[in-house]
Amino acid sequence: MLKEFYIQLFLIKIILIHHVCHPAKIRAFAKDLVICRNIEKTLLLPNHISTQEIHLPLLEEKGIRLSIKRLDRVHDLVSGNKFYKLKYNLEEAKKSGFSSLLTFGGTFSNHIYATAAAARIEGFKSIGIIRGEETITLNPTLSFAKSEGMRLVFISREDYRKKAEDSFIEKLKEKFGVFYLIPEGGTNELAIKGTKEILGKEDKEITHIGCSVGTGGTFAGLAESIHSNQQLLGFSSLKGDFIHSEINHLLEENKIRPNGKYRIFDNYHFGGYGKSGTPLLDFIGWFHSQTRIPLDPIYTGKMMFGIFDLIKNDFFEKGSHILAIHSGGLQGIAGFNQRLGTSLPL
């Protein structure tokens, strides 16, 4: 990775400086040292992503292996699938000469949180169009976004539904000037280009891949990268069977023809987006007590609840190896606990 390259460069020059003390070479070395010190402040660089296998009596009983790809650790602030969705959008914005990013989200949006941080790191101004009325005290998500320099603009739910209309976007341009537009949830062609990089060579022997489904960008990227021996399982956090047609449309629009099979479950939403219930919250608490892995109640908690329910009901053949994609979203737990008086583990 780029960070490691500069570290290696730095160490090599430390050695050379002891042998060659020409003033010009010393000045060049000093310049590289400055680069080393500032590289993480100016580039969105990923951390190492680990895959953690879970060992529980149920898995042993069923003859199933379950591993979790910890995308929640890919970056301290731009966590989970948002890192991959933003990666090439930020690159395109820079290449095209934009200085401002504009995007949309709800008051507890992972996307708003991640975009605010990524914009600050990469040197962009950012504008967040927020669904709903402004409150006197901002929740932890919006408070963080504001601290990262994002300009928060609250609009009515009625106006928010117009977010994809050309006329509405033009009005935003009249108000805020030129900006690079990132859609709600970050899903577009460049986001899918990023999320198809989630799976690596080390995942080739996995039989089933599980992921949460919201706007579908992560599912689409995974669908493009699975192998013929693999089945992709999506767990919708949204209520309604419309998600099937939306995902099919997204795959067709991006000309994605998966090599393996895929399926979406729409019965683990617990009432819809942002909704939960005692069974889900109890499961998240139990899972953390067994694995020390935190799950959020909006996306990853529902996915993992679904995976365990399928394991219990013998959906997977003996010998299957499931890879669950931990897509982050942990920033929202603080706001969830604050709003509902719960104590989900962070």
Side-chain angles (χ1 to χ4, degrees):
M1 291 187 294
L2 189 57
K3 181 167 63 175
E4 279 74 14
F5 167 78
Y6 277 104
I7 291 172
Q8 290 173 14
L9 175 65
F10 174 55
L11 293 174
I12 290 170
K13 294 218 171 172
I14 286 177
I15 296 170
L16 291 177
I17 201 70
H18 290 290
H19 300 281
V20 183
C21 295
H22 192 280
K25 293 187 180 294
I26 293 174
R27 286 193 296 270
F29 171 71
K31 182 178 179 181
D32 287 329
L33 178 58
V34 171
I35 291 174
C36 285
R37 285 174 174 170
N38 293 317
I39 188 71
E40 289 193 64
K41 297 179 182 178
T42 57
L43 289 176
L44 194 64
L45 297 171
N47 299 322
H48 171 71
I49 301 169
S50 62
T51 297
Q52 183 175 345
E53 185 163 1
I54 303 304
H55 300 281
L56 292 169
L58 175 66
L59 301 173
E60 185 176 348
E61 174 193 334
K62 299 291 186 178
I64 302 292
R65 293 178 65 190
L66 172 62
S67 298
I68 302 179
K69 187 175 277 285
R70 300 294 303 272
L71 300 192
D72 56 309
R73 294 176 170 176
V74 69
H75 192 276
D76 293 343
L77 298 176
V78 188
S79 171
N81 59 341
K82 301 307 178 186
F83 182 94
Y84 295 88
K85 285 185 170 186
L86 289 170
K87 177 180 176 180
Y88 290 110
N89 275 290
L90 294 170
E91 184 179 292
E92 179 62 26
K94 276 194 172 182
K95 187 170 66 175
S96 301
F98 288 93
S99 60
S100 296
L101 310 176
L102 183 142
T103 194
F104 302 87
T107 52
F108 295 91
S109 168
N110 295 322
H111 174 65
I112 288 292
Y113 186 102
T115 302
R120 191 264 305 163
I121 293 168
E122 292 284 359
F124 291 101
K125 296 177 182 177
S126 63
I127 304 162
I129 308 299
I130 310 300
R131 181 182 64 245
E133 296 181 358
E134 184 174 6
T135 57
I136 295 175
T137 304
L138 296 177
N139 66 39
T141 299
L142 297 183
S143 180
F144 171 82
K146 186 176 180 179
S147 73
E148 291 291 286
M150 177 174 274
R151 180 178 177 182
L152 303 177
V153 181
F154 295 81
I155 63 174
S156 68
R157 293 177 180 274
E158 180 181 356
D159 284 341
Y160 193 85
R161 285 191 283 269
K162 302 174 184 176
K163 62 185 178 296
E165 297 178 8
D166 291 340
S167 58
F168 185 72
I169 299 301
E170 286 303 315
K171 288 181 181 179
L172 292 177
K173 289 179 179 178
E174 290 174 8
K175 184 174 182 179
F176 301 113
V178 178
F179 54 77
Y180 182 85
L181 178 65
I182 301 176
E184 180 184 39
T187 292
N188 58 14
E189 184 179 354
L190 291 174
I192 294 171
K193 179 181 178 181
T195 57
K196 75 177 184 179
E197 296 178 356
I198 290 173
L199 295 179
K201 294 178 181 179
E202 69 277 9
D203 304 316
K204 192 172 182 180
E205 300 306 316
I206 294 292
T207 60
H208 299 80
I209 295 129
C211 78
S212 307
V213 177
T215 56
T218 301
F219 186 90
L222 292 169
E224 190 167 7
S225 56
I226 59 172
H227 297 282
S228 58
N229 63 307
Q230 298 176 323
Q231 184 174 12
L232 175 61
L233 307 176
F235 295 84
S236 177
S237 63
L238 311 173
K239 184 178 181 179
D241 59 6
F242 68 92
I243 192 67
H244 301 281
S245 59
E246 283 203 358
I247 291 297
N248 287 332
H249 174 72
L250 187 63
L251 296 181
E252 291 172 7
E253 186 179 42
N254 288 277
K255 298 180 175 59
I256 296 173
R257 297 174 179 79
N259 290 319
K261 298 178 181 178
Y262 67 90
R263 178 173 176 178
I264 295 175
F265 294 92
D266 59 15
N267 56 327
Y268 296 107
H269 53 73
F270 288 88
Y273 181 78
K275 303 292 179 64
S276 61
T278 301
L280 175 62
L281 300 183
D282 286 348
F283 171 81
I284 290 173
W286 170 83
F287 187 81
H288 184 267
S289 72
Q290 299 298 307
T291 66
R292 312 314 298 172
I293 298 175
L295 302 172
D296 81 286
I298 311 301
Y299 291 109
T300 56
K302 295 178 180 181
M303 170 198 68
M304 198 63 69
F305 184 100
I307 288 174
F308 270 78
D309 188 59
L310 293 176
I311 292 172
K312 290 175 185 176
N313 289 285
D314 299 317
F315 175 85
F316 301 101
E317 293 182 4
K318 188 175 183 179
S320 296
H321 189 175
I322 308 160
L323 179 68
I325 306 298
H326 194 315
S327 52
L330 300 180
Q331 67 81 23
I333 293 178
F336 186 90
N337 285 339
Q338 182 186 81
R339 181 164 54 100
L340 298 180
T342 53
S343 55
L344 292 179
L346 293 169

